[in-house]
Amino acid sequence: MTPETHTGLQSPRGVWWKPAHKAEKVWVAIAFGWCMVLFAMMPLWHLKGGQNPSGIRRKVDPEAFFQRTQEFIAQYQIGDDRGMPIVAPPAGSDVYLTAMAFQWTPILQLEKDKEYVLHLSSRDVNHGFSLYPLNINFQVVPGYDYGLRVKPTEAGDFRIICNEFCGIGHHIMVGRVIVLDGAPQAATAETAVVAGGDR
Amino acid sequence: MTAPAFRTCPFTSLKVDRHAEMLIRANAVVSVVALLVGAVAAVMLVLTRWQAVHLLPAVWFYRILGVHGMSMLIFFIIFFEMAVLYFASTALLNARLVVPKLAWACFGLMVIGAVMVEWMMWAGKADVLFTSYVPLRAHPLFYLGIILFAVGALLVTVIFFANLVVAKREKTYEGSLPLVAYGAVAAAIIAIITLLHGAAIYIPTFLWSLDLMEVDPQVYRMVWWGLGHSSQQINVAAMVSVWYMLGALTVGAVVLNEKISRSAFVLYVLFISMASAHHLLVDPGMGPAWKIVNTSYFMYMAVLASMIHGFTVPAGMELGQRLRGYTNGMFEWLRKAPWGDPGFSALVFSVVVFGFVGGITGVAIGTEQINIIAHNTLRVPGHFHATVVSGTALAFMGVTYYVIPLIFRKKVAFWGMAKMQPYVFAIGMFIFTMSMTFAGSFGVPRRHWDISFSNAPFDVQFSPAVDVLLAFVAIGGLLAATGAFMFIAIAVKSVFLGEPLGEVTRGRAMAGVPQGLTHPPTHAPNVDELNAALHHPSRGIFGVAPGTLALAGVFLLAFVLYYFVNWKVLSFVWKIG
């Protein structure tokens, strides 16, 4: 039997369900095996890895979420930076961050190596939470509360860039997260304010 | 109904239905007009993101970004695909177009829809970008225009299937559908699934824009991406069909095994529509199980399909070349290939950039957890410009160099420039997509007017490397846009002012006629002997296509490396769960 020599523009004659050449079989087997590795990595990372987008997810009324954020600010506010409250919640607590055109409310002050549940939601349209310079990204959708268990592993003065188009002021929508190494002292918050850029 | 009028193609001796031919022309022309609009927009966009130039004001940047997305991803590509569907269901099968009047009505509907959408966007009444995420609101006519366009496109896919049924009944061809038509069938099925998603989201959104109903923002994102991502899978299936077609035309590429290639198309149909999840991996609406199953196309079955085509297409080209007598060593088949035939060079670059850049980055950023370090950064447009632009658009450009003589019966104008065009476009897109991908790895956001954040309340200072990368994005983008303008100039001049094709003599090179037509790939006289030797069991697994197998190994290595580097980088960021 002579193997086929027709092109993809010609109709195959007779039955085309024929055994493949060894080279093709080997490649398909390798590709299939690789696909299984790709698939297995995701559940494995849920078990062994430290970064998963699971979170606590529920529907929420946008105004109710904003009210909850206001209460959260009132409870733990320690200062402000150009009018934006700086809030220092205790380790292990629920932290609320509301996105709205064109700001992130409030500024968060967290402690290194302590876990928090960071609740993200929007008061108006879709926004994108992008933590600079770490490049951690989450979608912020109005009507949904995304509660992510986060544990900052390094101290620093971070920014939140909005990376989902939210209107004409999208590119000025920048927020701030401060992570302190160790428990905050009274003076630390002040220092952090000064370090927050002099624009 | 009038009896169909046919002409007989002098190259292939196939009968060509005149209505189908006119529709192929009309759709191709509108497609190129959309490409022109999109390419002009692209130039303005790259010159804005290049911070040193920063051309457009903010309002116009976002507006033009929406225009670019719609013109390119929807109008340019779908009008071209309509032409592919008419070609595959009539000319390729010797068959007639069954309902020419309805087909023209569909074309009219699609043009009206497209004009409405463009008008709303340019008038500033739809500053919602390509994705128009609810609750960002556009003028109702914007949504209505998209609905009209989609209804037209949906009806064309129905006409496509009607053509196939009639062709089968009238026995216009013998045996099974050719592989290229089979791939077009896969594309058409995916198109129907996609366009139904489109209806399911744009009709409610249209009503919402008239304050007649509510639309949930998360449901919108899920269903919209059932349209948005799946429509790119129409492109993939159509592009792979075009790969098989260009391989056949330029080097006489052989179908190694119909079963394998066709099964891969079936995998596309079965699994590829799950890709909506790629955009929702870090969304609050869905849980991990849903995300994992959907983002992986149910265990990466659609990735498997692409990896199969990525092997069988070049392997078929290699075998085709070997049967023509280029049997020496691993790569004589590639060295002695018709690199001056723009159909061939476009094919090669399309396969390479689609696979190496688009495919690898796509799988990485579409992994549930890795998406945390990729979502909405420049890595995303870096990926899809490698698939849909360097892959699909370039393949479509390559096939146009054959459509001009075969369907329009004109010589390809500016022939010297046409030979260069795929090189300019592919090199530009390669620089563009790689630089975008790396800039995105620094966290640079996509869809952003000013990453110097000059008016923001808090300062953000990206690494100086980002400035360099964005300059490369601009340079690559401008080079690619130059390639696109070359293509447009060639296509427009050929179609409207081109020299009639005239007599083509086999074996005599002719300016304006691709090599695949002047020197059609023919087998060596001892083809059976060559074929038997190549298939001999003693050649082991390298068999008929040793060069391709070696290249596939390089590809797999790059894939594995990039994939695991991403996991490593992810492991350095904060603990999140």
Side-chain angles (χ1 to χ4, degrees):
Chain A
M1 181 194 78
T2 326
E4 299 282 351
T5 54
H6 71 279
T7 72
L9 291 172
Q10 293 155 329
S11 290
R13 300 298 164 92
V15 180
W16 47 259
W17 191 268
K18 292 176 185 161
H21 187 274
K22 210 170 178 181
E24 261 187 301
K25 281 190 198 159
V26 167
W27 176 251
V28 173
I30 292 172
F32 182 80
W34 174 237
C35 288
M36 292 304 109
V37 172
L38 295 175
F39 184 70
M41 277 306 288
M42 290 187 286
L44 264 179
W45 201 263
H46 274 281
L47 293 174
K48 302 277 182 193
Q51 296 79 15
N52 289 290
S54 317
I56 304 156
R57 294 159 283 105
R58 61 175 160 241
K59 292 197 80 164
V60 68
D61 174 60
E63 273 314 303
F65 186 88
F66 183 61
Q67 282 311 315
R68 184 69 193 85
T69 308
Q70 294 296 341
E71 288 163 25
F72 165 72
I73 293 169
Q75 204 173 354
Y76 300 119
Q77 182 168 1
I78 55 159
D80 74 288
D81 179 4
R82 275 155 285 185
M84 181 60 75
I86 300 175
V87 180
S93 63
D94 285 280
V95 174
Y96 294 84
L97 185 68
T98 293
M100 58 184 149
F102 301 101
Q103 60 182 11
W104 299 92
T105 305
I107 295 171
L108 301 172
Q109 181 181 288
L110 310 175
E111 274 180 66
K112 190 185 161 199
D113 294 328
K114 296 282 162 47
E115 192 179 285
Y116 302 84
V117 181
L118 172 61
H119 293 269
L120 298 172
S121 194
S122 164
R123 200 181 172 193
D124 40 42
V125 296
N126 275 269
H127 294 280
F129 173 94
S130 180
L131 194 65
Y132 166 91
L134 296 172
N135 195 15
I136 295 173
N137 306 280
F138 288 96
Q139 185 78 18
V140 183
V141 182
Y144 289 81
D145 174 358
Y146 206 169
L148 295 157
R149 283 171 288 262
V150 300
K151 190 200 260 184
T153 49
E154 57 192 296
D157 192 359
F158 302 97
R159 298 287 178 268
I160 309 166
I161 297 171
C162 180
N163 69 3
E164 182 61 81
F165 175 70
C166 57
I168 189 59
H170 168 51
H171 45 270
I172 59 161
M173 183 166 166
V174 177
R176 199 178 156 202
V177 177
I178 304 148
V179 178
L180 299 178
D181 199 352
Q185 268 121 58
T188 327
E190 293 301 314
T191 324
V193 173
V194 176
D198 50 2
R199 250 179 249 278
Chain B
M1 194 176 290
T2 51
F6 289 102
R7 70 171 177 91
T8 304
C9 174
F11 294 98
T12 58
S13 330
L14 286 170
K15 287 193 300 177
V16 184
D17 181 304
R18 294 214 184 260
H19 274 294
E21 188 173 26
M22 289 310 291
L23 276 158
I24 293 170
R25 291 185 187 193
N27 279 286
V29 167
V30 177
S31 171
V32 170
V33 172
L35 178 66
L36 178 62
V37 175
V40 171
V43 169
M44 294 192 267
L45 294 175
V46 291
L47 287 180
T48 306
R49 289 223 63 160
W50 188 358
Q51 291 279 156
V53 181
H54 215 55
L55 179 71
L56 295 173
V59 178
W60 277 96
F61 172 77
Y62 296 121
R63 193 166 291 161
I64 295 293
L65 189 53
V67 168
H68 174 69
M70 274 291 169
S71 305
M72 291 300 214
L73 220 41
I74 300 293
F75 303 138
F76 157 58
I77 288 199
I78 294 185
F79 275 112
F80 202 99
E81 279 162 355
M82 296 299 114
V84 171
L85 289 183
Y86 285 123
F87 171 77
S89 66
T90 61
L92 196 51
L93 303 178
N94 244 339
R96 67 188 173 91
L97 175 66
V98 291
V99 278
K101 278 182 188 152
L102 180 63
W104 281 108
C106 290
F107 175 71
L109 207 57
M110 291 174 71
V111 171
I112 291 168
V115 169
M116 277 167 74
V117 170
E118 292 280 350
W119 169 38
M120 285 296 115
M121 287 192 301
W122 285 97
K125 291 180 176 162
D127 289 337
V128 291
L129 300 194
F130 174 59
T131 44
S132 57
Y133 289 137
V134 166
L136 283 177
R137 192 183 282 257
H139 193 284
L141 287 181
F142 171 77
Y143 305 110
L144 188 62
I146 295 172
I147 292 169
L148 293 182
F149 178 84
V151 168
L154 191 59
L155 288 174
V156 174
T157 55
V158 173
I159 294 170
F160 168 80
F161 284 108
N163 287 343
L164 291 186
V165 169
V166 171
K168 187 85 192 169
R169 195 191 298 149
E170 293 177 353
K171 297 194 169 56
T172 60
Y173 62 97
E174 281 178 59
S176 305
L177 282 181
L179 184 59
V180 170
Y182 192 91
V185 171
I189 296 172
I190 298 167
I192 287 180
I193 301 170
T194 299
L195 292 165
L196 290 177
H197 278 96
I201 198 59
Y202 272 112
I203 292 170
T205 307
F206 172 59
L207 296 174
W208 166 80
S209 72
L210 297 168
D211 288 320
L212 294 174
M213 70 177 283
E214 290 289 306
V215 177
D216 182 278
Q218 183 72 79
V219 172
Y220 178 92
R221 281 173 57 77
M222 183 175 78
V223 185
W224 192 89
W225 280 113
L227 164 75
H229 204 113
S230 307
S231 63
Q232 307 321 311
Q233 322 289 20
I234 313 172
N235 303 339
V236 172
M239 172 192 74
V240 173
S241 289
V242 167
W243 284 354
Y244 284 112
M245 175 152 54
L246 281 173
L249 289 168
T250 56
V251 292
V254 172
V255 180
L256 288 189
N257 184 286
E258 293 276 357
K259 176 178 72 176
I260 300 259
S261 295
R262 284 171 198 242
S263 302
F265 276 121
V266 172
L267 288 179
Y268 277 157
V269 172
L270 290 179
F271 297 111
I272 213 161
S273 298
M274 301 166 87
S276 164
H278 290 186
H279 304 265
L280 313 173
L281 293 173
V282 292
D283 269 35
M286 296 82 183
W290 186 92
K291 286 174 180 175
I292 290 175
V293 169
N294 283 280
T295 195
S296 66
Y297 307 104
F298 190 72
M299 303 169 78
Y300 289 99
M301 287 300 116
V303 172
L304 177 64
S306 287
M307 286 179 76
I308 290 173
H309 290 305
F311 177 77
T312 59
V313 168
M317 288 157 65
E318 175 169 358
L319 179 56
Q321 285 283 73
R322 284 177 186 273
L323 295 180
R324 294 171 71 190
Y326 303 116
T327 49
N328 292 329
M330 294 272 269
F331 294 113
E332 191 195 22
W333 63 278
L334 207 49
R335 279 201 311 279
K336 300 248 172 100
W339 291 97
D341 179 342
F344 179 81
S345 55
L347 166 64
V348 171
F349 294 132
S350 173
V351 173
V352 169
V353 184
F354 179 89
F356 274 85
V357 187
I360 292 176
T361 60
V363 169
I365 67 179
T367 301
E368 189 203 5
Q369 294 92 344
I370 293 174
N371 194 249
I372 294 173
I373 54 171
H375 182 70
N376 276 353
T377 67
L378 277 182
R379 292 180 73 176
V380 177
H383 153 70
F384 70 71
H385 281 88
T387 53
V388 80
V389 187
S390 317
T392 306
L394 185 52
F396 287 0
M397 287 171 175
V399 83
T400 302
Y401 295 119
Y402 280 83
V403 169
I404 290 170
L406 290 175
I407 300 290
F408 289 92
R409 283 174 287 164
K410 296 280 176 67
K411 284 184 186 170
V412 177
F414 306 123
W415 182 237
M417 189 160 90
K419 288 178 166 185
M420 306 255 304
Q421 189 271 338
Y423 292 85
V424 174
F425 190 76
I427 293 169
M429 278 325 290
F430 181 75
I431 297 170
F432 177 85
T433 55
M434 293 295 280
S435 321
M436 249 194 181
T437 296
F438 285 115
S441 304
F442 284 91
V444 177
R446 67 184 289 202
R447 296 178 156 184
H448 204 283
W449 177 65
D450 177 24
I451 63 145
S452 72
F453 295 91
S454 45
N455 293 313
F458 311 110
D459 66 316
V460 176
Q461 189 63 59
F462 277 106
S463 150
V466 165
D467 291 327
V468 177
L469 285 167
L470 289 181
F472 273 107
V473 166
I475 291 162
L478 291 176
L479 197 56
T482 307
F485 291 129
M486 287 162 76
F487 173 78
I488 294 165
I490 294 161
V492 171
K493 172 91 190 290
S494 311
V495 168
F496 293 107
L497 307 163
E499 210 183 311
L501 186 58
E503 200 72 23
V504 173
T505 317
R506 267 182 172 230
R508 194 192 302 153
M510 197 168 153
V513 185
Q515 241 172 298
L517 299 179
T518 54
H519 301 74
T522 43
H523 292 149
N526 57 342
V527 57
D528 289 334
E529 198 182 308
L530 284 173
N531 207 11
L534 285 165
H535 280 84
H536 196 269
S538 67
R539 287 180 64 93
I541 65 156
F542 281 102
V544 294
T548 303
L549 206 62
L551 295 174
V554 174
F555 169 76
L556 192 65
L557 202 67
F559 200 164
V560 172
L561 200 69
Y562 187 76
Y563 181 71
F564 284 110
V565 163
N566 270 284
W567 282 109
K568 191 75 197 164
V569 171
L570 176 69
S571 74
F572 294 138
V573 304
W574 290 5
K575 296 281 178 283
I576 304 163

